[in-house]
Amino acid sequence: MANRSSASPDRPPETAGTTTRALLGAGIFGFGFSGLIDVLVLHHVLQWHHLVSAIYPMTTLDGLRTNVLADGLFSIGMVLVAGIGAGVVWRAERRTTVPLAIRPLAGAAVVGLGGFDLFDVVVDHTLLGLHHAVSQGGRYDPHWAVVSLLIVLAGVYVYRTGTRDTNETAGEG
C-alpha cells in the first residue's frame, strides 16, 4: 500500500481535475442517496405517494402493483446512481497523494441531495405529473420546492466554508 506522505509513481499528486471529479462524484452520490431516502421513507414507510400514483391509483390492486413495481425499478436506478457517485469519489481519492477535504465533499453531497428533491418537484410533480408530495393534488409541491432549495443552499454553505478553511490553511504555510 502506498504511503500518502510521499509521492509514488502509482499515485500522482492531487490536481484540480481530481478534486473536481471528487466533488462531482459526491454530488452524484447525494442525488442517488436522496432518491433512495425518498422512495424508502415517503413511498414505502409513510405511503404518502408512489412514483406513478397520480397516473395509476393506489386504491386498486393493479394500480398498487404497478406503483410498487415502479418504486422498485426506481430504487434500483437510485442505487446505481449512488454507486456511480461513490465510485467516482473513490477513484478520485485513490489518484491523489493528499486526503480530499471532507467539508467540500459533504457540501457537494448535500447539494446533490437537494438537487434530487428539486428535480423531483419540478420534473416528476410539475412537468410530468407522476405524483405529488402528499398526494393532495400538488397542494404541498411549492413547499417541497422551497425546502429543496434550502437544502441546496445549505450544501453550498457547507462547501464554501470547507473550501475557505482549506484555502486559509494552505495560506498559513
Side-chain angles (χ1 to χ4, degrees):
M1 183 169 189
N3 183 352
R4 286 189 177 269
S5 62
S6 63
S8 66
D10 59 333
R11 296 214 27 161
E14 181 177 11
T15 64
T18 302
T19 302
T20 301
R21 279 190 295 277
L23 292 170
L24 179 63
I28 292 169
F29 173 80
F31 189 94
F33 186 73
S34 184
L36 282 172
I37 295 303
D38 181 282
V39 76
L40 291 173
V41 175
L42 301 180
H43 298 208
H44 295 299
V45 175
L46 298 175
Q47 298 178 17
W48 283 357
H49 62 263
H50 291 282
L51 187 63
V52 291
S53 58
I55 299 169
Y56 298 97
M58 300 183 302
T59 55
T60 66
L61 185 57
D62 285 340
L64 186 59
R65 283 183 175 164
T66 301
N67 276 288
V68 170
L69 174 63
D71 288 347
L73 294 173
F74 178 78
S75 297
I76 291 169
M78 289 298 102
V79 166
L80 291 173
V81 169
I84 288 168
V88 170
V89 173
W90 181 78
R91 285 194 60 180
E93 190 279 330
R94 298 303 303 152
R95 292 175 182 254
T96 181
T97 57
V98 296
L100 297 169
I102 296 297
R103 285 185 68 166
L105 287 174
V110 173
V111 168
L113 283 162
F116 169 80
D117 291 335
L118 197 55
F119 172 85
D120 186 39
V121 75
V122 170
V123 175
D124 295 341
H125 299 196
T126 306
L127 297 177
L128 299 177
L130 297 178
H131 63 267
H132 298 287
V134 193
S135 290
Q136 294 184 359
R139 191 167 106 194
Y140 293 102
D141 288 347
H143 303 86
W144 195 255
V146 169
V147 169
S148 301
L149 285 171
L150 290 174
I151 294 170
V152 169
L153 291 173
V156 169
Y157 174 78
V158 170
Y159 168 79
R160 289 186 54 88
T161 57
T163 56
R164 182 175 45 223
D165 292 346
T166 303
N167 291 340
E168 288 172 2
T169 303
E172 291 173 2

